[in-house]
Amino acid sequence: MRRTGTSEAGGQRRQHKTDLVTRGRPPCGIAGRLGASFAAAAVLGALTLGGAVSRAQTFDERRAAYLANPDRYSHCGESIWGWLEAGTRAEQVHWLIQAWLRPNTPPESPPPEGSPRDLDSCWTWHLHYDIPSILLIRVLRQYGDRISPEDRADIERRYYDMLRDIYYFHHGSLNNRLFVFVGRYLASEDDPDVTVDYPAFPALDTFTWEGRTYEPGNPYNSLAISRDWLLWKMDLLVTVGDKDNELDAKYTPPIIASLLTLADLARDEEMRNRARMTLDLLLLDSILDVSVERHGGRIGRTYGQFVLAGYPRIYHWPFWGIGGDPVVDIEAQYLLVWAGTYRLPALIEDLGVLDDEPETYWHLNREQNWAGGPDKQTFVTPFYNLGGGDGLWMLNVGGSDGRAFRLWINEQETVPVCTGSDCYIELGHYGYQHRNAMLVTNVPTAYVHPDNVLDNFDSHESASGWEIYREGRVAMALRSVGDIAGLEVITVGVDYPTYEDFTAALAAHARLETAEGTPTFVTSRGTEIRAVYDATLGRVVTEVDGARPWTSPFPRLATVDDQGDPIVSWSGRVMTVERHCQRLTYDFETWTSSETTTCGGADADADAEDDAGGEPDAGADADADTVGPDAGPDGTPDANGDAGDSGGCGCRTASAGGGTGAPVGLLALAALAAARRRNRRRTHECGRTSALRLPR
C-alpha cells in the first residue's frame, strides 16, 4: 500500500493523497480522508508478510532451525523441547518443571542465570491443570531419562494425585477439556485401576460411547471414562465439528496440541491412529481457508487483538511455513510439535501451497464447524479470500507491498481492542455471499474495517456510485444504499482482462437495491444475490439468481476447485481428498485411511458442487460473477477450451514461478525469520480502533 495512488474517472487521471498518515502509533481520535469519499480514523497496524511460500522450506528444516537455537523462544516453556532434545540447560529444565508442577504459585527461587527473559512468567501461566497436563506427561514419557530423579518422582506424584482429584475434569471450554482428558487418559494407562467421581460441573457432558453412558455425579474408572470421552469427542470433531465455537479460532491450536500429544504418546494403537486421523482433518479444515497468509472466512472464538493481528494461525508455520514468526505467534504447548513424530500427509501439505497453481485457480471451501453458525464457506484465490456463507464474514487481500490485510463491513463505528479479557471481535455482519461477491444487510451506517494501517490503496476512484479500490491486481468495489451494502472483489487479468473492463461492467450491470422488501445485489456480471427469509430454517439465507445455491447443513468439509473437480468430498462417513494425482481416503466408520496415486482421465461430475458442497446446478448464470470451468480471463473459453493446461495423468501443470526449488537451508531460514521479525505486528496505544464509513 503506497502513500499515493492514481485512479481514472471520466477520462481524467487524478492523484490521490491522504492526510491520514498513521504508519507509526497514531493517537486516539485521529481522523482524516482516505481517497475522495471515505470518512476515516486510525486503525491498528498488523504487519504480515504476504506472497507465495516455497515448498523447499520443509517441516524438518523448520524443526532443525528451532532445535539449533531454542533460546530465542522466550515465552514460558517454549525452549524446553530444544533443551531436552539436546540434553542441555539442565538447571532451566528443572526450574521449569517445578514451575509447571505448581501453577499460579511463585517458585521459591528465581530462574537460573541465563534463562530466557520470560521464563519467570511460567508460574502464572494458567490457573489449573490444563496446559501442564499435556506438557508434563510428554516430559515424563519421552524424556524421562534426561530429567533428574527428583523431577521424575515429582511428576509421577503429581499425576497420581490428579487422577484421584475431581477437579482434574476441567469444566471450561473444549480446549481446556481436551488438555485434561488427554492428560488423564495417558496417566491412567500407567495407573489403570483408579476410580474417580465424574463431577456435576457446568459444561461436563452426559455422553454415550459404544453403549456405555457416563453421567456427571457418578464414579467411573478413570481410564475407561477418559478413553471413551476422547473417542466420542474425536468422532464428533470429524463428523459434525465443534459447537463450542473453537474451530477456525484462536483456541484451535490448543486442540491440535492435545491431539498431537495423544497421537505421539498413547500406548493404544487405536487411540494413536484416531488422533492422527482427526489431526489430518482439522489441519486440512484450517488450511483450505488460507491464502495470502491469512485464514479466511468466519472465525470461531478469538479475541479482538488477535484478529487484528492476523490470527487465527493454526500450526500454519510448522507445517506450511506461513503465518508469521513462531517467536511471536506460537506458545509452548504449540512448539511441542517439534518434539513429536506426527507429520502431515504430503497431499494435505501440498494443498496449503498455492504457488504451483495457475493464477486463475480458486477453490470454494464449505464446512460445518459452528464458527458463528452451522455453515461456513470461503472462496479462496491466490490473491484474496472472501468467506462467510450466511452471516458473519471477512475479506483478506494480499497487499501489493507484500503485506496482507483484512476488511469487513458492519454497523459498528469502532472495533474493540481488548487486553486480558474475554472480548471477542465482531466481523462483517449479515453477509450473504456468492463466491467473490457479498451482499450486506442491516447496516444503516456501513463502516468498513481494515485491520492494517492503510495510508492509501494503490488507487481509488468513485464511479457510477461505487467506491473502487485497487491493491495490486485486486480491485474491490463497495457501495452503500439505505441500510444495505455490496462488495465485489476481482483479480485483474483473471476475472476481467483490464481494470477498465471491470469498472465498465460495474457501470453497465451492478445494482444495489431493496426490491419489494428484499435486499438485492446485482454484480458486475449480472448475477443477482438476495437475502431472503427461509421459514424452514427460521433465518435469512442467500439466494442466487432465484435459487438457493446450497443446501444446509453443509458436509463436515467439502471443497471444489475452479474446474468443477472436488478436492474434498464425502460418501457416508468416508472422506476423499484428491489433488495433483494423489488421493487420500479416510473411512471414519472403520477409522482406517489409505493413500493412492490416481493418474489418468478425470472422473468429475458435470456439476461437482452437488457432491462437494450441496449446491444444485443453477445454470450458467450462477457462475457468472467468477470465471468458471472452460473460461479464460474474460470469461470466454481459451484456445484449449479450458482455464488451465493439464500435465500428465490429469494433473495441472505448474504456473510460471511456481513449483519446487533447492532446499533453502538453515541460514536462509534464519534470514526469513529475521525478515518476519522486522515486520511483526505493531502494538496500539489506544483502547479501540475506528473504521471507514461508506458515503450515502
Side-chain angles (χ1 to χ4, degrees):
M1 281 65 73
R2 296 187 288 273
R3 289 187 179 275
T4 62
T6 59
S7 63
E8 294 184 4
Q12 298 297 316
R13 195 165 182 83
R14 66 175 185 255
Q15 186 85 6
H16 288 294
K17 294 187 178 181
T18 177
D19 54 15
L20 176 60
V21 182
T22 56
R23 285 289 184 195
R25 294 183 178 180
C28 293
I30 279 185
R33 301 287 295 175
L34 183 57
S37 54
F38 274 82
V43 292
L44 178 68
L47 308 183
T48 305
L49 286 178
V53 178
S54 170
R55 295 168 182 277
Q57 299 167 12
T58 67
F59 176 96
D60 287 317
E61 286 175 319
R62 287 185 287 277
R63 178 180 184 272
Y66 162 75
L67 294 177
N69 186 17
D71 288 351
R72 65 192 284 262
Y73 295 78
S74 60
H75 189 76
C76 175
E78 289 171 343
S79 308
I80 191 170
W81 314 115
W83 300 337
L84 289 168
E85 281 287 316
T88 60
R89 297 294 188 111
E91 284 186 275
Q92 282 84 354
V93 168
H94 167 71
W95 190 94
L96 183 55
I97 288 172
Q98 294 301 314
W100 281 349
L101 286 166
R102 299 167 179 83
N104 227 37
T105 303
E108 296 179 358
S109 60
E113 185 176 352
S115 296
R117 57 186 169 82
D118 288 345
L119 198 63
D120 59 358
S121 69
C122 294
W123 63 271
T124 62
W125 194 17
H126 215 275
L127 299 176
H128 224 297
Y129 298 131
D130 48 3
I131 293 174
S133 68
I134 64 168
L135 303 180
L136 288 168
I137 199 73
R138 182 177 290 273
V139 170
L140 181 65
R141 284 212 179 164
Q142 191 166 331
Y143 302 104
D145 60 342
R146 299 188 183 185
I147 61 176
S148 69
E150 174 194 353
D151 288 338
R152 192 162 51 248
D154 285 346
I155 295 173
E156 290 171 345
R157 187 178 306 111
R158 174 64 179 275
Y159 279 105
Y160 178 92
D161 293 338
M162 288 197 303
L163 287 184
R164 292 154 176 82
D165 186 349
I166 64 169
Y167 289 99
Y168 194 39
F169 286 102
H170 200 293
H171 56 277
S173 302
L174 175 62
N175 73 91
N176 301 116
R177 282 175 283 153
L178 269 172
F179 278 140
V180 297
F181 271 100
V182 168
R184 175 176 286 280
Y185 170 76
L186 294 173
S188 295
E189 286 187 318
D190 295 329
D191 199 353
D193 298 324
V194 174
T195 297
V196 65
D197 285 338
Y198 183 40
F201 290 159
L204 288 182
D205 313 277
T206 295
F207 69 97
T208 299
W209 182 254
E210 294 184 342
R212 296 179 293 275
T213 298
Y214 299 88
E215 296 180 350
N218 293 293
Y220 298 100
N221 175 267
S222 178
L223 178 61
I225 189 173
S226 56
R227 181 182 188 276
D228 284 353
W229 188 93
L230 288 168
L231 293 172
W232 169 70
K233 185 57 67 174
M234 285 190 287
D235 193 76
L236 290 177
L237 285 172
V238 300
T239 55
V240 299
D242 163 43
K243 294 185 180 181
D244 288 69
N245 197 28
E246 293 203 337
L247 295 184
D248 289 341
K250 169 69 168 66
Y251 286 98
T252 310
I255 294 172
I256 300 295
S258 293
L259 293 171
L260 286 167
T261 304
L262 192 62
D264 283 339
L265 301 181
R267 296 199 169 96
D268 181 349
E269 173 57 30
E270 179 187 5
M271 189 67 79
R272 292 199 303 273
N273 177 63
R274 292 197 182 203
R276 287 192 294 265
M277 290 178 64
T278 306
L279 282 167
D280 287 356
L281 187 148
L282 293 182
L283 290 166
L284 176 66
D285 175 319
S286 169
I287 201 62
L288 285 172
D289 286 338
V290 174
S291 67
V292 297
E293 299 208 0
R294 289 295 181 97
H295 195 285
R298 232 169 29 216
I299 60 175
R301 189 167 68 99
T302 302
Y303 301 112
Q305 75 268 29
F306 289 104
V307 174
L308 296 172
Y311 281 76
R313 294 169 184 164
I314 301 166
Y315 283 85
H316 297 158
W317 173 260
F319 291 117
W320 292 280
I322 60 178
D325 188 337
V327 171
V328 176
D329 296 334
I330 301 178
E331 298 177 354
Q333 72 267 31
Y334 311 156
L335 285 181
L336 60 79
V337 66
W338 302 128
T341 60
Y342 174 82
R343 298 293 185 270
L344 273 179
L347 176 54
I348 297 178
E349 185 175 0
D350 174 65
L351 288 171
V353 183
L354 300 185
D355 63 357
D356 62 342
E357 302 289 358
E359 61 183 20
T360 55
Y361 172 82
W362 56 260
H363 65 251
L364 185 64
N365 188 43
R366 288 177 174 151
E367 52 188 298
Q368 182 181 165
N369 72 3
W370 296 89
D375 298 328
K376 172 186 171 180
Q377 71 171 359
T378 308
F379 183 75
V380 178
T381 83
F383 299 92
Y384 66 89
N385 58 68
L386 177 65
D390 299 326
L392 300 179
W393 63 276
M394 176 171 56
L395 168 69
N396 293 284
V397 177
S400 60
D401 60 356
R403 297 178 296 175
F405 67 91
R406 280 178 168 156
L407 182 148
W408 62 92
I409 300 172
N410 60 28
E411 72 279 13
Q412 296 177 329
E413 182 177 1
T414 60
V415 178
V417 181
C418 317
T419 55
S421 63
D422 286 0
C423 178
Y424 304 116
I425 199 162
E426 296 283 347
L427 298 176
H429 285 183
Y430 306 107
Y432 302 93
Q433 177 186 5
H434 181 60
R435 298 188 183 173
N436 64 321
M438 188 76 68
L439 167 65
V440 185
T441 68
N442 298 300
V443 282
T445 303
Y447 290 100
V448 182
H449 299 273
D451 76 340
N452 216 328
V453 177
L454 300 179
D455 290 348
N456 209 339
F457 296 89
D458 288 347
S459 68
H460 163 253
E461 68 169 306
S462 301
S464 306
W466 292 87
E467 303 301 322
I468 309 170
Y469 287 83
R470 186 168 178 179
E471 186 64 29
R473 292 176 58 187
V474 177
M476 298 158 282
L478 302 96
R479 187 177 186 180
S480 177
V481 175
D483 65 349
I484 64 175
L487 167 68
E488 184 172 357
V489 190
I490 65 101
T491 303
V492 175
V494 175
D495 301 293
Y496 287 91
T498 67
Y499 172 77
E500 290 72 21
D501 290 324
F502 174 51
T503 58
L506 277 173
H509 303 295
R511 284 194 330 273
L512 190 63
E513 61 191 10
T514 300
E516 299 180 354
T518 301
T520 303
F521 174 25
V522 178
T523 73
S524 68
R525 298 279 189 183
T527 301
E528 183 182 76
I529 307 171
R530 303 200 315 157
V532 299
Y533 181 76
D534 186 310
T536 301
L537 295 176
R539 58 184 172 89
V540 178
V541 299
T542 305
E543 185 179 275
V544 177
D545 288 335
R548 177 77 166 138
W550 59 77
T551 56
S552 182
F554 287 162
R556 174 62 185 86
L557 182 66
T559 313
V560 65
D561 73 4
D562 58 297
Q563 302 296 297
D565 296 328
I567 297 173
V568 182
S569 58
W570 291 78
S571 176
R573 288 174 59 99
V574 177
M575 180 180 77
T576 300
V577 186
E578 191 163 2
R579 188 76 180 156
H580 294 154
C581 299
Q582 299 297 313
R583 176 186 294 155
L584 290 169
T585 302
Y586 294 85
D587 187 333
F588 291 111
E589 186 66 45
T590 62
W591 284 87
T592 57
S593 61
S594 62
E595 184 172 1
T596 56
T597 299
T598 58
C599 291
D603 185 21
D605 188 279
D607 184 13
E609 293 188 8
D610 283 336
D611 300 324
E615 178 169 328
D617 188 356
D621 290 343
D623 296 329
D625 62 332
T626 18
V627 174
D630 298 327
D634 60 350
T636 59
D638 65 15
N640 298 320
D642 55 34
D645 295 331
S646 293
C649 63
C651 299
R652 185 170 303 157
T653 305
S655 59
T660 60
V664 296
L666 296 182
L667 290 177
L669 282 175
L672 175 66
R676 291 182 182 276
R677 285 197 303 277
R678 288 193 296 271
N679 288 279
R680 70 178 55 177
R681 63 180 182 269
R682 295 170 180 161
T683 57
H684 200 290
E685 297 173 329
C686 307
R688 64 184 187 178
T689 61
S690 299
L692 314 173
R693 182 165 60 85
L694 280 172
R696 295 289 162 193

